[in-house]
Amino acid sequence: MAAPGSCALWSYCGRGWSRAMRGCQLLGLRSSWPGDLLSARLLSQEKRAAETHFGFETVSEEEKGGKVYQVFESVAKKYDVMNDMMSLGIHRVWKDLLLWKMHPLPGTQLLDVAGGTGLAWVLGDAEELPFDDDKFDIYTIAFGIRNVTHIDQALQEAHRVLKPGGRFLCLEFSQVNNPLISRLYDLYSFQVIPVLGEVIAGDWKSYQYLVESIRRFPSQEEFKDMIEDAGFHKVTYESLTSGIVAIHSGFKL
Amino acid sequence: MATLLRPVLRRLCGLPGLQRPAAEMPLRARSDGAGPLYSHHLPTSPLQKGLLAAGSAAMALYNPYRHDMVAVLGETTGHRTLKVLRDQMRRDPEGAQILQERPRISTSTLDLGKLQSLPEGSLGREYLRFLDVNGHCFPYDTRAPTRFVDDEELAYVIQRYREVHDMLHTLLGMPTNILGEIVVKWFEAVQTGLPMCILGAFFGPIRLGAQSLQVLVSELIPWAVQNGRRAPCVLNLYYERRWEQSLRALREELGITAPPMHVQGLA
């Protein structure tokens, strides 16, 4: 699935994302000393016991998919109401901006991943899409990639299914660029959002996961690098609402 | 201005037991440092408790079927009162045993077969009949676990209060319709002093029709209040050891009189 020689391994340890090493023979890489990636121990594929984050918790990679699934099962019923309440309707503006950027025309082959439901929908896995190579003009993913266990694989899949000349667009929570707004945003995220989740949807934990998973996601620049590593060119990003969200764009040549 | 606000924010947004002075911790704090004290415990800051209390109260009024909101209201507003209740349980020999042994009323702990076989008129048999008549399905579902009380013993006290609620319906002879629930809330408010009971007692009647309201105010509330004041604390009763006791004898022991009228058809 991953093209040999062109994939990079990203690992999350401590507080940031960093490029571990290039080369796909390092599957199962696990870094256990924060900030000291070069001395990371290599594990053979048989002994893969990789861990990842689930919000601020640490879980095994195998567990994460199931746990994310449970979260979305739980929030599905009140999803739209909660989005409106939490963002005061601003999420609609963000999504509008994404569409505006994308400027789809009649005939455009568009794939929207992690879309929930849509006009014509297919059940699949972002890390292993049920589509042939070079099929779509535009690939979008809005507020979905943050929850994928192996983001690099999802990016590689996006690259694979896009036609040459095709465009990758991602709308996702990102890092706030203003210190004062960042403090207010943290306050709101951690003090108010889980309460809203509990009162409106009877679900504290899913919304606690939401705000934590946002903090775990790479910054605008880090994510840009990850997209480039998946083979995309002309990668750019635009921060919206002081960086609360960002739209990343890249092209397959 | 930021330096003035910081200690205030830390107090409002800090988790119970959290020691770290790092400026950003209180704002984005999760359980690190203030780990859960019991299973299902969700540590919350004073600000979160305030927001939860206000939100749950509003939601419970807006949608009376959100029983979970009533529970949240009780947990976020009851800390002080629960301490008083717990201390008072400690002073009573039967109450102290309950605190020690922590009995629970749930499907796993209730022997329905045994209760069924008890004589008519016994607490156990009448309790079962009450559950049956009021449409509770078997196996009887457990009350949702306590989450927002930041003390493990007090978490049990409020859990016990919730699990004993149906016992009170049986003792008072009140059905689980809205009128019956309000009457029991008045009794509980007088007995426990829990803010949630007091709020429920006063706001519950908002949705009642004029006739029910009239009956409530003129007959039922005075009766509930009188009985509530006369009876010793109902949290001090080890119900699980009293299944065979005759309900009538228990009522006499507690000073609970017959209700002024039959409430079933009223609400």
Side-chain angles (χ1 to χ4, degrees), chain A residues 15 56-57 78 182-184 186-187 190-192 194-195 197-202 204-205 208 212 215, chain B residues 6 9 13 23 26-30 42 44-45 47-48 51-52 55-56 59 66 68-69 72 147-148:
Chain A
R15 302 182 56 202
F56 287 171
E57 267 180 68
K78 295 265 168 87
S182 176
R183 301 277 299 258
L184 288 171
D186 278 354
L187 185 79
F190 284 88
Q191 299 296 317
V192 179
V195 174
E198 179 64 31
V199 172
I200 297 175
W204 176 285
K205 288 198 153 174
Q208 181 78 39
E212 290 178 1
R215 294 325 178 276
Chain B
R6 201 168 292 157
L9 278 176
C13 305
L27 297 181
R28 10 163 105 195
R30 211 240 190 182
L42 288 172
T44 44
S45 67
L47 178 59
Q48 284 175 321
L51 292 172
L52 272 172
S56 62
M59 185 55 92
R66 291 289 303 271
D68 61 322
M69 289 290 100
V72 170
R147 287 173 299 155
F148 300 111

Side-chain angles (χ1 to χ4, degrees), chain A residues 59-183:
Chain A
V59 299
S60 74
E61 284 190 345
E62 282 145 11
E63 277 189 298
K64 178 157 179 175
K67 286 180 91 95
V68 169
Y69 181 82
Q70 277 170 9
V71 166
F72 283 93
E73 272 278 294
S74 181
V75 303
K77 236 171 139 183
K78 295 265 168 87
Y79 191 73
D80 296 321
V81 160
M82 281 300 299
N83 283 344
D84 277 330
M85 295 296 304
M86 291 189 288
S87 70
L88 302 171
I90 297 172
H91 73 106
R92 296 165 185 271
V93 174
W94 295 330
K95 287 161 185 167
D96 271 351
L97 282 165
L98 177 67
L99 268 161
W100 190 85
K101 244 185 144 74
M102 178 192 317
H103 206 34
L105 298 165
T108 301
Q109 297 291 302
L110 171 64
L111 175 66
D112 179 44
V113 176
T117 58
L119 283 170
W121 56 278
V122 170
L123 182 66
D125 182 346
E127 297 179 15
E128 206 174 316
L129 292 170
F131 302 112
D132 291 331
D133 299 2
D134 307 321
K135 201 162 143 52
F136 296 98
D137 295 306
I138 306 180
Y139 171 112
T140 55
I141 185 165
F143 301 115
I145 206 157
R146 196 179 78 252
N147 300 298
V148 172
T149 308
H150 301 105
I151 294 177
D152 49 354
Q153 283 178 25
L155 292 172
Q156 281 155 29
E157 276 295 272
H159 191 267
R160 180 180 70 74
V161 303
L162 277 169
K163 293 177 188 168
R167 190 177 193 185
F168 167 85
L169 279 164
C170 173
L171 170 64
E172 188 51 84
F173 287 108
S174 200
Q175 312 274 323
V176 173
N177 44 39
N178 175 311
L180 172 64
I181 296 189
S182 176
R183 301 277 299 258

